[in-house]
Amino acid sequence: MATFQKSRLALTVFGALGAAVIATAAPALAGNSIDATALGPENISVDYSCDAGAGATSIKAMVGEPQADRPSAVGAQGGLTCDGATHNTVVMLDGAPITRGQQVQVRVALVDNTDNVITGQAKVATP
């Protein structure tokens, strides 16, 4: 019977520690976001936020026809400010310019130094 009581205590302690880890991890994950807010012929305006510990080093962007198998223009923007606050930057695109009225799929992502996506967004837009 004593073994059962010790096991129950150990499970309670480890369960509480696990809950504490999850509770502290959730706010760190909540601070990473990205949103393409405006689209020009050769650039994308992006609002982003990231926590200092997120590891985000740049924003990567791709634009192209919604049904295409590859983007027609790509871009990257480094020098991010990761302090949990929302910031805005403009990502310049290399490739075919976007024309007014052209429907395109826009993909933007916060990535780390090995190009792993931390958070991203994809949406269809018409400039």
Side-chain angles (χ1 to χ4, degrees):
M1 191 103 160
T3 305
F4 178 73
Q5 292 292 347
K6 287 181 183 176
S7 297
R8 181 181 288 176
L9 177 63
L11 287 174
T12 302
V13 169
F14 287 124
L17 288 174
V21 168
I22 290 171
T24 58
L29 296 175
N32 301 317
S33 66
I34 191 163
D35 183 29
T37 57
L39 184 59
E42 297 176 347
N43 57 40
I44 301 172
S45 178
V46 177
D47 287 345
Y48 73 93
S49 67
C50 48
D51 292 325
T57 57
S58 64
I59 294 173
K60 298 279 178 119
M62 297 187 291
V63 178
E65 294 290 330
Q67 304 304 323
D69 62 351
R70 66 182 54 100
S72 58
V74 296
Q77 176 70 42
L80 304 183
T81 302
C82 290
D83 58 5
T86 300
H87 300 278
N88 179 272
T89 191
V90 175
V91 179
M92 299 304 295
L93 299 172
D94 292 323
I98 301 160
T99 59
R100 184 173 299 274
Q102 176 187 7
Q103 188 178 54
V104 293
Q105 184 178 104
V106 179
R107 292 181 178 260
V108 291
L110 287 172
V111 298
D112 65 13
N113 61 357
T114 58
D115 281 343
N116 289 317
V117 174
I118 295 167
T119 189
Q121 178 192 63
K123 60 182 169 181
V124 175
T126 306

